Amino acid sequence: MRYRTIGTDPRTRREVSVLALGAMLFGSVTDEKTSFAVLDRYVEAGGNFIDTSDNYAFWVDAGQGGQSEELLGRWRRSRGVGDEIVIATKLGARPLAPGTSYVDNPEGLSAKVIRESAERSRERLGVAKLDLLYAHIEDHKIPLQETVEGFAALVAEGTVGLLGVSNHAAWRVERARALAAAAGLPGYEVLQYAHSHLRPRTDVPDDLFPDGSLGHAGPDLLSYLRAETGLTLVAYSPLLKGAYTHPDRLPADFDHPGTPARLAVLREVARETGASVNQVVLAWQIGGELPIIPLAGVSSVAQLEENLAAVDLELTAEQRTRLDAAH
């Protein structure tokens, strides 16, 4: 396994594996036995960066989520896992009542919610401190100052380490970080957005964000990442939920003239390296110019093994140039 540092403060920064494991469906769609087997193999291979959220997976049973965090808590206790494993979680998008969703009834990002939701996540995970806590979605009803101060208070108390942000417009990320810096408070250091080799259109709504593709790491966010060298991008859905091997799963916002050209280059490089297209996508992210950590969820140990092999896949400079240039 290879590792990357996230965070800049010596008191909170962590060394994490360059491939993160998504636990979104653990404890719900993916049963406990399989989930434990995947987690065990990931750790055995040197992986130490696991991602979840307080609202995973509310849509499975029309509930409020929490199944993933609860399963990770049971796994930690049964395996004697300590702080050598970095578990990241999120808050802000948990439905306030069963049968609702983050679209119409989210918990939001008030100081009260941040404190209470973080406490519940710590209880479910069975940890004294959350290694990395994200603001999951935007909350336009609460002043950014309140959100910034709410997160910073938990860091000051020692119940949260690093702070992250997901699915926010780049200008709101910068505004929040500027507010934190001006007040001498810790700010967001890890960004979590959808990012893959194929690029979506950003001028049409997608399924997850009907008001626009805020969830995707578009050119503005990648430019921001390039300029702010202390930031790291954790790229969710790097394999587009299996769309590289099952084209019928490709989301509608990827249906545009640039997609076939980028797919063609991916397949060329896969043939040249003897790797799968999925492995090429992950290796392209891991070894690129920008600090990107792919976050891949799996439903079997076999899928995990394929992803793990991408960590050691070295692409040539010429192959990277072709992959970058295709459009």
Side-chain angles (χ1 to χ4, degrees):
M1 183 57 68
R2 292 153 57 194
Y3 301 88
R4 180 187 292 277
T5 302
I6 57 172
T8 56
D9 189 327
R11 296 168 295 181
T12 55
R13 68 189 181 198
R14 298 297 302 268
E15 293 291 315
V16 297
S17 46
V18 295
L19 177 67
L21 177 64
M24 181 170 69
L25 299 180
F26 289 179
S28 56
V29 174
T30 306
D31 63 61
E32 186 152 319
K33 180 180 179 181
T34 302
S35 300
F36 276 33
V38 168
L39 288 161
D40 289 344
R41 175 61 188 127
Y42 176 69
V43 172
E44 180 185 48
N48 75 336
F49 194 17
I50 300 169
D51 184 89
T52 185
S53 174
D54 71 347
N55 73 338
Y56 292 163
F58 75 86
W59 56 92
V60 173
D61 59 4
Q64 292 175 277
Q67 304 101 308
S68 175
E69 289 182 332
E70 289 168 354
L71 180 135
L72 289 172
R74 294 192 296 273
W75 172 75
R76 289 186 71 260
R77 289 188 293 272
S78 69
R79 302 305 194 255
V81 169
D83 61 6
E84 71 278 8
I85 303 299
V86 177
I87 297 181
T89 193
K90 314 176 197 72
L91 57 78
R94 191 174 199 237
L96 288 174
T100 61
S101 79
Y102 65 87
V103 175
D104 58 0
N105 196 27
E107 60 185 352
L109 295 173
S110 69
K112 182 176 185 291
V113 164
I114 290 169
R115 177 168 296 279
E116 294 177 353
S117 294
E119 175 62 24
R120 286 192 292 267
S121 287
R122 290 197 297 119
E123 290 175 357
R124 285 190 288 264
L125 290 167
V127 298
K129 180 178 182 178
L130 298 172
D131 301 306
L132 168 58
L133 181 62
Y134 292 96
H136 201 166
I137 60 172
E138 294 184 349
D139 184 350
H140 295 278
K141 297 178 181 178
I142 298 295
L144 274 175
Q145 185 78 38
E146 179 178 340
T147 298
V148 167
E149 292 174 354
F151 278 114
L154 300 186
V155 176
E157 294 167 9
T159 56
V160 171
L162 289 163
L163 298 176
V165 61
S166 182
N167 307 318
H168 285 51
W171 73 265
R172 287 180 66 84
V173 176
E174 171 58 19
R175 179 74 57 82
R177 294 183 73 239
L179 288 170
L185 300 174
Y188 301 136
E189 295 190 86
V190 185
L191 315 178
Q192 186 174 141
Y193 291 76
H195 179 62
S196 189
H197 186 256
L198 293 184
R199 300 165 174 164
R201 292 177 58 182
T202 57
D203 60 337
V204 294
D206 64 16
D207 294 337
L208 189 59
F209 298 97
D211 293 330
S213 297
L214 288 184
H216 291 289
D220 56 341
L221 192 105
L222 294 176
S223 175
Y224 185 57
L225 184 69
R226 187 172 286 108
E228 296 292 321
T229 56
L231 299 177
T232 302
L233 173 64
V234 174
Y236 72 78
S237 295
L239 302 179
L240 298 176
K241 301 179 181 179
Y244 286 105
T245 52
H246 300 278
D248 57 302
R249 299 181 187 175
L250 195 68
D253 49 340
F254 288 84
D255 184 12
H256 59 81
T259 292
R262 287 181 79 80
L263 276 175
V265 174
L266 275 173
R267 290 167 181 155
E268 286 176 8
V269 174
R271 287 193 296 270
E272 293 164 7
T273 58
S276 67
V277 169
N278 283 346
Q279 289 168 339
V280 172
V281 172
L282 295 176
W284 173 75
Q285 289 186 325
I286 290 169
E289 170 197 359
L290 295 177
I292 296 175
I293 298 175
L295 166 61
V298 300
S299 58
S300 69
V301 173
Q303 290 177 350
L304 175 64
E305 294 289 1
E306 179 184 3
N307 293 350
L308 288 170
V311 173
D312 297 320
L313 176 59
E314 295 288 348
L315 302 176
T316 67
E318 187 274 335
Q319 287 169 335
R320 286 191 171 279
T321 298
R322 274 189 285 147
L323 287 165
D324 292 341
H327 61 274

